[in-house]
C-alpha cells in the first residue's frame, strides 16, 4: 500500500494503489494456501469467496503500515501552523525520546512547504526534558520562502515552554556535475545477521548470565520500539571489553511505509537517527556506565532518496569525548552503497565507575 501525505490539507489523506492491493491479495492467498494453481476445477464462486476472505485478513494485519506513520508522525492540526503530537514509545528514562520530537518537528515543518520541496538539512537544540504525560505542541514559523530554498523554524512546546528548537531547510532538487561520497563500509548483509531481540534471546539462554543482567535484557525485550535493528558488531554483555567508539547496525522502520513520499521517509529517518547514537561514545569505557545522559543538539543532512522501511546501514562513530560531553557522527547507507543521510549529535554524559568498591 502506498501512503501519501498531503502536507497542504488539515488531515492526512491516504491513497491506496489498486495494483499494490492486488499484489498483497495475491501474497495473502499464496501464504494461506487458498489459491492452488494445480486445482483448475475449483469453482469460480468458491475462489472469489476465498480470495475476498484472504483480502480481508490481509487488510486486518496489524503491522502492514508502520506505527511511525499511523501514530507517532501523524500530527493533529489545531490551527494554522500549529500541531499536536502524541507518544508511542517512552524510554526507560521516562523522558521523551529525542528522535520522536525531532521527527515530529520535521513533520510539522514539512506540512508548510510544497510537494516540490524536500528537506535537505535540520538543526535542533534540546532545551528541556520532554514530559511523557502530556502531548507536545509544534509551532511553525515560516522564516523564509525563496525560489529554490525555504526555511522553517519549529518550536516544540510543553507546559508553555519550549523543549526543542528546530530549524529545517527545504530545497528543490537541482542537477550538478559535482558529485562524490565516501565508500560504504564492507559488512555482512542484514539477511546474515540477528535482530537485537534474537541476540538477547541467545544471551538469555546462557546459564552463566547473572540475574541482574537477565532483568535488564528482559526490560529491553519488553519495550515496544517501532524500529528493527540488526547489529553488525554487537556489544559483549558479560565481559565488558573495551571497544572502539564505533558502531554499525542495519536499521529500518517496522511495518510498511511505501516509496512515494520522500518527506515522510526523511521524518522517519529523523526519528531513527537518535536511537542508540550517543551511547557510541561510551564503548571505550566498559568500567563506566551513564548515570545521566541527554542529547544537547542534533543535526541532519539528507543527501539522496531512500526508503526508511527498507534496511539501511547506520554507521556511528565518536571522534571526541570530554568535559562530561560526547560528540557522535552518523551516516546512513542504502544497501546499494549510496550515502543517504549524515547526522551529528552532542550530548551530556555523566558517568560513574562500576568497579569501585562499596566498602
Amino acid at each position: 500500500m502506498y501512503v501519501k501525505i498531503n502536507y497542504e490539507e488539515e488531515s492526512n489523506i491516504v491513497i491506496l494503489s489498486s495494483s499494490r492491493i492486488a499484489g498483497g491479495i495475491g501474497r495473502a492467498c499464496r501464504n494461506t494456501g487458498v489459491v492452488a494453481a494445480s486445482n483448475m476445477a475449483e469453482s469460480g464462486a468458491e475462489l472469489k469467496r476465498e480470495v475476498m476472505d484472504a483480502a480481508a485478513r490481509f487488510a486486518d494485519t496489524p503491522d502492514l503500515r508502520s506505527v511511525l506513520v499511523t501514530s507517532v508522525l501523524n500530527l493533529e492540526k489545531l490551527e494554522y501552523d500549529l500541531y499536536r503530537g502524541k507518544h508511542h514509545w517512552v524510554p526507560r528514562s521516562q523522558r521523551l525520546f529525542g528522535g520522536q520530537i525531532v521527527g515530529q518537528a520535521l513533520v510539522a515543518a514539512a506540512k508548510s512547504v510544497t510537494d516540490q520541496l524536500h528537506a535537505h538539512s535540520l538543526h535542533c537544540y534540546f532545551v528541556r526534558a520532554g514530559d511523557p504525560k502530556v502531548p507536545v505542541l509544534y509551532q511553525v514559523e515560516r522564516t523564509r520562502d525563496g525560489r529554490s530554498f525555504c526555511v522553517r523554524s519549529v518550536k516544540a512546546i510543553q507546559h508553555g515552554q519550549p523543549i526543542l528548537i528546530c530549524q529545517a531547510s527545504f530545497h528543490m532538487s537541482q542537477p550538478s556535475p559535482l558529485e562524490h561520497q565516501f565508500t560504504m563500509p564492507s559488512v555482512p548483509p542484514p539477511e546474515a545477521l540477528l535482530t537485537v531481540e534474537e541476540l538477547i534471546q541467545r544471551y538469555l539462554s546462557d546459564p552463566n548470565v547473572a540475574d541482574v543482567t537477565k532483568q535488564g535484557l528482559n526490560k529491553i525485550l519488553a519495550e515496544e520500539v517501532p524500529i528493527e535493528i540488526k547489529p553488525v558488531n554487537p556489544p559483549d554483555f558479560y565481559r565488558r571489553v573495551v571497544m572502539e567508539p564505533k558502531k554499525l547496525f542495519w536499521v529500518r522502520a517496522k511495518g510498511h511505509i511505501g516509496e512515494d513520499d520522500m518527506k515522510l521517509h526523511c521524518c522517519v529517518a529523523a526519528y531513527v537517527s537518535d536511537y542508540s547514537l550517543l551511547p557510541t561514545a561510551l564503548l571505550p569505557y566498559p568500567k563506566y556506565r551513564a548515570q545521566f545522559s541527554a542529547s544537547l543538539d542534533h543535526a541532519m543532512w539528507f543527501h539522496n532518496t531512500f526508503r526508511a522501511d527498507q534496511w539501511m546501514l547506520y554507521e556511528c562513530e565518536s571522534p571526541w569525548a570530554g568535559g562530561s560531553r560526547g560528540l557522535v557522527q552518523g551516516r546512513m547507507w542504502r544497501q546499494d552503497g549510496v550515502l543517504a543521510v549524515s547526522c551529528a549529535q552532542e550530548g551530556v554524559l555523566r558517568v560513574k565507575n562500576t568497579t569501585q568498591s562499596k566498602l
Side-chain angles (χ1 to χ4, degrees):
M1 295 182 182
Y2 293 131
V3 180
K4 170 102 176 146
I5 291 185
N6 185 334
Y7 290 93
E8 298 298 322
E9 297 296 331
E10 180 173 286
S11 58
N12 290 348
I13 299 174
V14 179
I15 300 175
L16 303 181
S17 166
S18 59
S19 62
R20 192 61 184 257
I21 292 175
I25 291 174
R27 288 194 298 275
C29 294
R30 288 193 296 273
N31 291 340
T32 54
V34 300
V35 175
S38 60
N39 189 2
M40 302 301 294
E42 186 173 13
S43 69
E46 180 69 13
L47 178 61
K48 181 178 179 180
R49 182 183 63 79
E50 293 189 359
V51 167
M52 294 304 292
D53 288 345
R57 288 194 297 274
F58 183 83
D60 291 338
T61 304
D63 66 343
L64 278 182
R65 292 183 63 208
S66 172
V67 70
L68 288 172
V69 176
T70 60
S71 178
V72 179
L73 300 177
N74 188 12
L75 301 185
E76 175 189 1
K77 183 171 182 178
L78 302 177
E79 188 50 79
Y80 180 79
D81 284 346
L82 183 64
Y83 303 90
R84 176 163 54 200
K86 52 188 176 182
H87 321 313
H88 172 73
W89 168 67
V90 177
R92 282 170 288 169
S93 64
Q94 291 305 301
R95 301 192 304 267
L96 285 184
F97 175 49
Q100 172 193 305
I101 308 171
V102 174
Q104 290 180 339
L106 186 56
V107 169
K111 286 178 179 288
S112 69
V113 302
T114 64
D115 289 341
Q116 291 73 36
L117 295 169
H118 297 282
H120 73 88
S121 69
L122 63 84
H123 299 263
C124 302
Y125 280 96
F126 298 95
V127 293
R128 288 179 180 83
D131 182 355
K133 299 183 184 67
V134 298
V136 183
L137 298 181
Y138 294 91
Q139 188 174 39
V140 181
E141 177 186 326
R142 305 191 182 209
T143 309
R144 180 181 184 271
D145 283 308
R147 284 180 293 181
S148 54
F149 287 85
C150 71
V151 178
R152 297 293 183 260
S153 302
V154 183
K155 230 181 243 187
I157 302 168
Q158 282 187 320
H159 304 294
Q161 294 182 314
I163 63 172
L164 173 129
I165 298 171
C166 176
Q167 296 267 351
S169 183
F170 299 80
H171 81 123
M172 190 176 297
S173 182
Q174 298 172 330
S176 171
L178 307 179
E179 199 169 288
H180 70 269
Q181 65 165 56
F182 284 174
T183 302
M184 177 180 173
S186 179
V187 300
E191 296 77 20
L193 300 170
L194 299 177
T195 64
V196 169
E197 291 78 12
E198 291 168 337
L199 284 169
I200 289 176
Q201 293 290 2
R202 177 175 290 186
Y203 292 138
L204 289 173
S205 66
D206 188 338
N208 297 320
V209 176
D211 289 341
V212 64
T213 303
K214 286 184 178 180
Q215 292 174 7
L217 294 175
N218 280 316
K219 286 180 180 178
I220 296 174
L221 282 179
E223 294 179 341
E224 297 182 1
V225 184
I227 56 179
E228 191 175 3
I229 290 174
K230 290 190 173 186
V232 175
N233 52 344
D236 190 318
F237 281 103
Y238 344 107
R239 297 176 186 168
R240 304 186 68 81
V241 296
V242 173
M243 296 181 69
E244 185 184 5
K246 187 168 184 176
K247 190 185 298 183
L248 292 160
F249 56 91
W250 292 98
V251 62
R252 67 180 177 185
K254 290 181 179 177
H256 180 77
I257 297 175
E259 59 185 349
D260 65 335
D261 197 332
M262 195 56 217
K263 283 192 181 76
L264 184 56
H265 285 286
C266 288
C267 296
V268 173
Y271 181 100
V272 171
S273 67
D274 188 42
Y275 190 81
S276 198
L277 184 60
L278 189 57
T280 307
L282 291 172
L283 292 177
Y285 311 101
K287 295 180 181 179
Y288 294 88
R289 72 176 181 86
Q291 223 172 359
F292 175 82
S293 65
S295 304
L296 293 172
D297 57 2
H298 191 87
M300 296 186 72
W301 298 266
F302 303 97
H303 310 305
N304 286 288
T305 58
F306 61 91
R307 283 186 57 172
D309 57 351
Q310 294 183 347
W311 289 115
M312 289 196 295
L313 180 67
Y314 197 5
E315 179 188 11
C316 308
E317 57 185 354
S318 175
W320 175 88
S324 294
R325 303 190 320 277
L327 175 66
V328 184
Q329 298 166 340
R331 287 182 284 271
M332 291 186 185
W333 302 86
R334 294 188 335 209
Q335 287 196 65
D336 60 1
V338 171
L339 180 61
V341 181
S342 297
C343 61
Q345 182 180 100
E346 188 179 46
V348 176
L349 288 170
R350 298 190 182 119
V351 300
K352 75 172 182 177
N353 193 329
T354 58
T355 62
Q356 288 180 344
S357 172
K358 296 182 180 179
L359 298 178

